[in-house]
Amino acid sequence: MSSSSPSRGRPRDPRSHEAIVGAVNELLAEVGYAATSIGAVAARAGVGKDTVYRRWRGKPELVFEAVFTTTDLAPTPDTGTLAGDLTALLQGLVEEFEAPAAAAALPGLLADFAADPVLRARIREHFLAPSKQRLAAVFERAAERGEIASDTPVDLVLDTLAGAVFFHIGLVGESPDPQLAGRLAAVIAKGIEIR
């Protein structure tokens, strides 16, 4: 969920990075996760395989960053209410999980994560932890406004938000109605509000 992957080699050329990420999304939608390879991505992006490997350790990290970190590019929401902020966050996640590339990538990524504890740790450290850190501001502001307690378990709440969207769209395969983000946000905000 955060595009701050480990720094390796020379700095990223934004054009190459954009071409690689675009190629990943196109290939996933066209041929699926299993048939998407680093070589195919490099060829589609017009770069060498070494260019890809300088930035990502392998296909799972490349696919995860290309498909499941798009919400990290959006500004952290600040609507003035926790429910509003959570709705904005969840809407981004819904759109991310609804994308054809996400549907194609999920089964293969889950299998790779389950089989490789080192990969899981790298994803947690380099993608998920920075994303959660960035979103902590939403909960800090809510605590300052008196909406939630300052000791609210932010990591658990964020996992709950992402898990609900993942389960509803990614695993169950439901097409989300336009109110899904708002409904989930209301449930979560109500559950952690100060009473």
Side-chain angles (χ1 to χ4, degrees):
M1 295 170 58
S2 174
S3 54
S4 58
S5 62
S7 177
R8 296 171 35 177
R10 63 182 113 138
R12 289 182 178 182
D13 173 353
R15 292 169 302 183
S16 293
H17 183 79
E18 189 175 305
I20 293 166
V21 167
V24 170
N25 280 278
E26 291 169 7
L27 285 166
L28 286 168
E30 290 170 18
V31 301
Y33 183 80
T36 297
S37 67
I38 296 291
V41 168
R44 174 77 59 102
V47 299
K49 287 197 316 189
D50 287 348
T51 300
V52 177
Y53 280 115
R54 273 196 299 271
R55 293 163 174 80
W56 296 277
R57 293 176 189 223
K59 181 171 86 169
E61 286 183 18
L62 169 59
V63 168
F64 185 85
E65 182 173 349
V67 177
F68 295 105
T69 64
T70 59
T71 57
D72 295 339
L73 304 176
T76 303
D78 189 2
T79 65
T81 67
L82 178 61
D85 290 350
L86 294 180
T87 298
L89 287 173
L90 283 162
Q91 187 57 46
L93 283 175
V94 166
E95 291 167 7
E96 195 170 77
F97 275 91
E98 261 189 313
L106 268 176
L109 272 179
L110 290 175
D112 284 347
F113 292 165
D116 188 348
V118 174
L119 172 63
R120 276 196 315 272
R122 283 198 313 262
I123 293 295
R124 229 182 356 259
E125 178 184 350
H126 296 294
F127 295 100
L128 300 177
S131 179
K132 286 182 176 183
Q133 229 172 13
R134 182 180 75 82
L135 297 177
V138 166
F139 298 93
E140 289 168 11
R141 287 193 304 265
E144 289 168 6
R145 289 188 301 260
E147 292 179 277
I148 62 172
S150 59
D151 64 348
T152 298
V154 173
D155 277 358
L156 183 58
V157 173
L158 290 171
D159 288 349
T160 302
L161 294 170
V165 173
F166 168 73
F167 184 82
H168 188 77
I169 299 171
L171 288 183
V172 177
E174 292 289 327
S175 280
D177 66 54
Q179 288 77 37
L180 177 63
R183 287 181 182 155
L184 287 173
V187 167
I188 298 297
K190 187 74 172 162
I192 63 174
E193 73 183 3
I194 292 178
R195 298 186 178 133

